[in-house]
Amino acid sequence: QVQLVESGGGSVQSGGSLRLSCVASGYTFSGNAMGWFRQAPGKEREGVAAIDVDGSAYYVDSVKDRFTISQDNAKNTLYLQMKSLKPEDTAMYYCAAGHPWGAWYRVAGLSARFAYWGQGTQVTVSS
């Protein structure tokens, strides 16, 4: 059974930083895309950053140069380093793991199938 558990969210002031982590169990990172999505109240879920199977990273324009996605295959952990946070980054952040039978999602220039989702971690940025 695949399980994704996010952590690292919290409340910060504008300009602050946070690092989100997503630990996966029952799942192999190798050969699968991984991604971070976010959903703010009243808005649709948005793909923020993703790593393709070849290691290429993709970012939505609004977070480029501020967020960095990375993964540690040995620890089965996905990270999202966020800096220069803005109030508009406030949202629930979800980790997503790819699988061939998952639904298609687009994250910037990457289209990939994501099948597994974590429970989310809240990020709140105050001005």
Side-chain angles (χ1 to χ4, degrees), residues 48-108:
V48 174
I51 294 180
D52 200 359
V53 294
D54 63 359
S56 300
Y58 296 81
Y59 301 93
V60 68
D61 285 346
S62 60
V63 308
K64 276 182 181 177
D65 301 323
R66 298 190 299 121
F67 290 12
T68 302
I69 188 171
S70 62
Q71 64 186 56
D72 185 333
N73 290 353
K75 295 183 178 180
N76 252 24
T77 303
L78 181 72
Y79 301 99
L80 185 67
Q81 178 68 52
M82 306 184 294
K83 64 179 183 179
S84 302
L85 284 161
K86 304 175 181 179
E88 50 264 44
D89 294 319
T90 295
M92 185 71 79
Y93 283 71
Y94 299 91
C95 168
H99 193 279
W101 52 256
W104 285 102
Y105 290 86
R106 189 166 185 84
V107 181

